Amino acid sequence: MCDVCVMKAVKERMLSRRDFFKTSAAVGAAATVGMTAAPAAMAAGHGGVVDMSHKLSPDFPTFFGVPGISMEQQFNFAEHGFNLMNLAINEHTATHIDAPLHFSADGTSVDEIPVSDLVIPLCVVDIAAKAAEDADAQVTPDDLKAWIAANGDIPDKACIAMHSGWAAKSGDATAYVGNDADDVKHFPGFHIEATQMLLEETTAVAMAVDTLSLDHGPSPDFATHYAWLPSGRYGIENLAGLDNVPAAGATLVVGAPNHVGGTGGPARIFAMV
């Protein structure tokens, strides 16, 4: 065999081995990171992204009326050549997740929520008109039926989000929380009958609100929390941007925290539209 032929044969064998190891490495990496199949909501593709998160700040209104985050600078660029903050955060601050563990003795913690439940179809139920007339307005079965009549069945493993218009009030804690003279809060949420309808008739994995709580402000018993979360589903509170997404067709991407044993936590959330 000529020298040129030998060199060509060796080169082809090396390229073949290189391709083999590239393929093997890719497969191994996919297995290592726990890759899962893409949700059906991703199949159609999207043309834009909408931020659905409020900024995490000590100024953001909280359920208990005290700042939900504090930041202490431990290192600064002038002295140390880099910046670093120590954070102390209430899990349920600004745009955040309620894991099943939040309202159950032994439910799923935030780090245990399946990744496949964090990229999901978004269904927006608009009650802004009635919320403008009544701060204690709630999403009812009739609202869900109206959404279905207009948009079709609720998709599998969806997030059902209440758009009440409350996000616009987040810069004013008095208006956002709505405490009255008796310290009773006033803001919209999900009625327990709507919650039960979603539990019984859909495979929805998440419920979201643009207010401080899945239950409306004056709720005496957190009935929606106690029905929804112990079922293994999760909630999202203080969602933003619902006025910038369609009633149906968007995909919600939930950047859930994954601290072990967490009952929830601040999340960066966006919608692909």
Side-chain angles (χ1 to χ4, degrees), residues 4-170:
V4 174
C5 295
V6 172
M7 291 174 66
K8 182 178 180 181
V10 171
K11 184 177 180 181
E12 288 176 349
R13 176 176 291 185
M14 290 177 66
L15 289 173
S16 177
R17 286 171 60 83
R18 185 182 301 168
D19 291 342
F20 170 79
F21 285 119
K22 280 184 178 179
T23 302
S24 298
V27 172
T32 300
V33 301
M35 186 178 293
T36 60
M42 296 289 289
H46 301 282
V49 179
V50 177
D51 194 347
M52 309 295 287
S53 309
H54 290 285
K55 291 186 177 181
L56 186 56
S57 160
D59 297 325
F60 194 87
T62 63
F63 195 87
F64 298 108
V66 296
I69 180 173
S70 63
M71 300 177 288
E72 179 184 357
Q73 186 155 15
Q74 184 176 359
F75 298 96
N76 65 77
F77 191 83
E79 295 181 50
H80 308 103
F82 65 98
N83 293 306
L84 186 149
M85 295 277 192
N86 281 330
L87 306 180
I89 305 173
N90 181 311
E91 291 177 309
H92 300 272
T93 299
T95 303
H96 69 273
I97 290 176
D98 281 5
L101 183 59
H102 185 37
F103 269 71
S104 59
D106 55 0
T108 301
S109 57
V110 71
D111 59 300
E112 296 172 331
I113 297 174
V115 173
S116 58
D117 288 352
L118 299 176
V119 183
I120 49 181
L122 176 61
C123 306
V124 181
V125 180
D126 190 341
I127 65 164
K130 68 177 180 179
E133 300 293 328
D134 178 11
D136 298 333
Q138 299 181 75
V139 175
T140 66
D142 286 343
D143 294 315
L144 297 179
K145 292 174 184 176
W147 188 96
I148 292 169
N151 302 284
D153 292 339
I154 291 172
D156 288 339
K157 303 190 76 172
C159 173
I160 315 303
M162 174 193 77
H163 172 40
S164 70
W166 233 247
K169 302 175 184 283
S170 63

Side-chain angles (χ1 to χ4, degrees), residues 211-236:
T211 60
L212 282 168
S213 174
L214 303 180
D215 290 275
H216 73 326
S219 172
D221 54 9
F222 295 98
T224 286
H225 275 85
Y226 278 114
W228 188 256
L229 298 179
S231 73
R233 296 160 171 84
Y234 67 94
I236 302 171

